[in-house]
DNA sequence: ATGACAGATAAGCACGTACTTATGTGATTC
DNA sequence: GAATCACATAAGTACGTGCTTATCTGTCAT
């Protein structure tokens, strides 16, 4: 089950930080390390977990590897979330923002 | 940070199963155990984690404790997800379903 | 080819997590 | 008020996770 790997991947704050950084634009593993105090192997391992969860995808570019957000993982979270739509409070501000951004 | 506890809580498949069961309707901890092969203390501990994450809330009813889905946790996930809306593929079926269910 | 560089993998370790059994707490029933 | 029931908490344990250092793989420049 993919959900398992997705939520497990996002359960780690360092991985969420990496993902958030990638969401601002794809970049290679070394560039990703800047600003996040983490060793090279640790970064590599985190990226492997994110990739396994379908949250990130890689693309070899010479001797660099460019990473970017994989929409598939996000779509699966949206799908999971949709199952519980009955419980989403109708007038919460966050939801209104979400709706406005999506409905176009 | 609440996100941390939410994703950590959902990273466990047993807890997701409990949450899913609660989403079908609130019930007490004993009723929740039916169908899920788990000891009473384990269930109690899982419910404590889900409650700490804002995914579930409790209500004492005599010597029973009724548990139900807390919309706040779900709203926070939606909020987190909304940050990455730029990456959501526009025509994925899951997303269309999500949109249809929300936009009313 | 050789050295340098980007990144992955291996192995080991400290700590966290999910479970267990045992016991505690609060509410109900008799 | 004693027994029982629903649930929480305590303590211990097996296993998972995230980190480290060391090493390997692949690509580029010279």
């Amino acid at each position: 089950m993919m959900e398992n790997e997705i939520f497990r991947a996002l359960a780690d704050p360092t991985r969420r930080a990496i993902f958030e950084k990638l969401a601002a634009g794809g970049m290679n593993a070394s560039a990703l390390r800047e600003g996040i105090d983490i060793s090279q192997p640790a970064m590599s391992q985190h990226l492997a977990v994110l990739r396994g969860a379908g949250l990130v995808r890689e693309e070899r570019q010479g001797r660099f590897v460019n990473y970017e957000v994989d929409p598939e993982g996000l779509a699966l979270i949206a799908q999971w979330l949709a199952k519980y739509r009955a419980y989403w409070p109708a007038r919460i501000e966050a939801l209104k923002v979400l709706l406005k951004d999506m409905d176009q």
Side-chain angles (χ1 to χ4, degrees), chain A residues 14-30:
Chain A
T14 304
R15 272 193 299 264
R16 281 202 309 281
I18 293 169
F19 182 82
E20 191 157 351
K21 203 166 181 181
L22 276 179
M27 67 184 83
N28 61 58
S30 298

Side-chain angles (χ1 to χ4, degrees), chain A residues 56-71:
Chain A
V56 146
R57 59 188 173 199
E58 69 178 37
E59 186 185 355
R60 261 260 166 205
Q61 279 178 357
R63 69 179 154 183
F64 293 81
V65 177
N66 199 271
Y67 281 90
E68 61 181 9
V69 166
D70 186 346

Side-chain angles (χ1 to χ4, degrees), chain A residues 2-19:
Chain A
M2 201 68 163
E3 281 169 6
N4 217 325
E5 286 163 289
I6 292 187
F7 285 121
R8 251 195 18 78
L10 293 174
D12 184 76
T14 304
R15 272 193 299 264
R16 281 202 309 281
I18 293 169
F19 182 82

Side-chain angles (χ1 to χ4, degrees), chain A residues 85-103:
Chain A
R85 59 191 178 274
Y87 289 97
W88 296 12
R91 270 166 300 281
I92 284 207
E93 194 61 27
L95 196 58
K96 282 199 292 187
V97 170
L98 182 69
L99 253 175
K100 202 177 65 183
D101 287 331
M102 292 175 75
D103 189 10

